[in-house]
Amino acid sequence: ESAISRSVPPFERVGQMTHRHLPLLLLATEAIASAFKPHCMSIFDQFPKHMSSGGFRPRPSKEEMVKPKKGQESVWSFPRPPVCKEAKGRKVVVKIGDNVVAETTRAYRMMETSHPPTWYIPKEDINMKLLKPSNALKTTCEFKGQALYYDVDDGKSKAKMTCWEYPIPSDDQKIIKGSIAFYINRGLDAWVDGEKAKPQEGDFYGGWITKDVVGPFKGSPGTRFW
């Protein structure tokens, strides 16, 4: 899942544009944006790895996709636009150091082609006292709406811009209203049913990799258009 929203207009909806046109159009737009530093500089600062990843790797062939075993799912079977479903009964825990930030059995999994799932946790199951509004730039997702970011601060450690929510999600994603998702590559750790999750590669997307999902996963350099 494009866990964090895109910070540029939804080019996928422009006319009859095909997938192979997107790299050139996005590069042109980024070049224009870079000329307006006062307005756009923070986006490049916010996601430096993603915005400077460069190169375009083709989507993996069927032979390159990992074949799921029993109890596993391939992220290439996930849809786009993404779908979000309640992960009933699955225990999710998020920590900063030894302090619990969130703990729930009512999480939601956002699933999108090529992405490991992004987990959204209801605010009722989050220690909201640890979350502080971030000065990060708001971003907009063509599928989910406008995202707001938070820092996590327990008084000992501070993880900047490490979680986000969609206060007014799109009609198709209303299920995540009132829930927050967490990066686990910026000072937080997370467990799903006792298994420590691994972060999706890169600094833009916020998926969690667990043993029940297989890739290849979007996020590494050159995979921006998978």
Side-chain angles (χ1 to χ4, degrees):
E1 179 239 358
S2 182
I4 307 276
S5 43
R6 302 191 180 205
S7 53
V8 293
F11 297 122
E12 290 84 346
R13 297 184 179 180
V14 178
Q16 299 299 315
M17 187 179 303
T18 63
H19 179 82
R20 65 177 179 274
H21 294 139
L22 295 178
L24 293 177
L25 182 55
L26 186 53
L27 284 177
T29 302
E30 289 171 1
I32 295 171
S34 65
F36 296 91
K37 300 293 185 180
H39 179 68
C40 299
M41 188 62 176
S42 57
I43 279 295
F44 291 83
D45 291 339
Q46 213 161 297
F47 306 109
K49 290 182 181 179
H50 180 73
M51 301 304 285
S52 63
S53 61
F56 302 103
R57 290 167 51 190
R59 291 190 175 194
S61 64
K62 288 186 178 180
E63 292 71 26
E64 293 171 320
M65 294 179 187
V66 179
K67 186 176 180 179
K69 298 178 181 179
K70 185 177 180 180
Q72 292 182 321
E73 297 174 280
S74 169
V75 297
W76 293 95
S77 69
F78 292 166
R80 181 175 289 141
V83 297
C84 190
K85 296 181 179 180
E86 185 177 359
K88 294 182 179 179
R90 302 196 67 178
K91 186 175 181 179
V92 178
V93 178
V94 179
K95 290 184 177 183
I96 181 169
D98 294 328
N99 290 325
V100 174
V101 178
E103 183 171 349
T104 190
T105 55
R106 304 183 300 157
Y108 299 95
R109 293 170 83 225
M110 183 72 72
M111 294 166 284
E112 181 179 349
T113 305
S114 76
H115 295 267
T118 302
W119 294 75
Y120 285 81
I121 300 175
K123 289 183 179 180
E124 293 82 1
D125 297 331
I126 299 173
N127 184 351
M128 294 299 295
K129 293 180 180 180
L130 301 182
L131 273 59
K132 313 297 181 184
S134 173
N135 61 3
L137 190 70
K138 296 177 183 178
T139 56
T140 300
C141 175
E142 65 268 39
F143 300 129
K144 295 182 287 295
Q146 188 175 70
L148 301 179
Y149 296 90
Y150 297 91
D151 301 333
V152 176
D153 188 346
D154 68 350
K156 298 178 181 178
S157 302
K158 184 175 183 178
K160 293 184 177 181
M161 201 189 77
T162 198
C163 53
W164 71 96
E165 70 167 320
Y166 294 95
I168 307 176
S170 62
D171 289 343
D172 292 340
Q173 302 294 346
K174 285 184 177 179
I175 193 172
I176 61 172
K177 183 177 177 62
S179 295
I180 292 177
F182 295 84
Y183 279 117
I184 54 172
N185 59 355
R186 304 184 181 192
L188 302 183
D189 295 304
W191 290 260
V192 178
D193 293 334
E195 176 191 355
K196 189 173 183 179
K198 298 177 182 178
Q200 183 173 6
E201 191 171 348
D203 60 0
F204 190 61
Y205 306 109
W208 298 2
I209 300 173
T210 50
K211 62 184 179 182
D212 57 347
V213 290
V214 296
F217 304 111
K218 183 174 181 175
S220 58
T223 65
R224 289 173 63 182
F225 300 97
W226 280 15

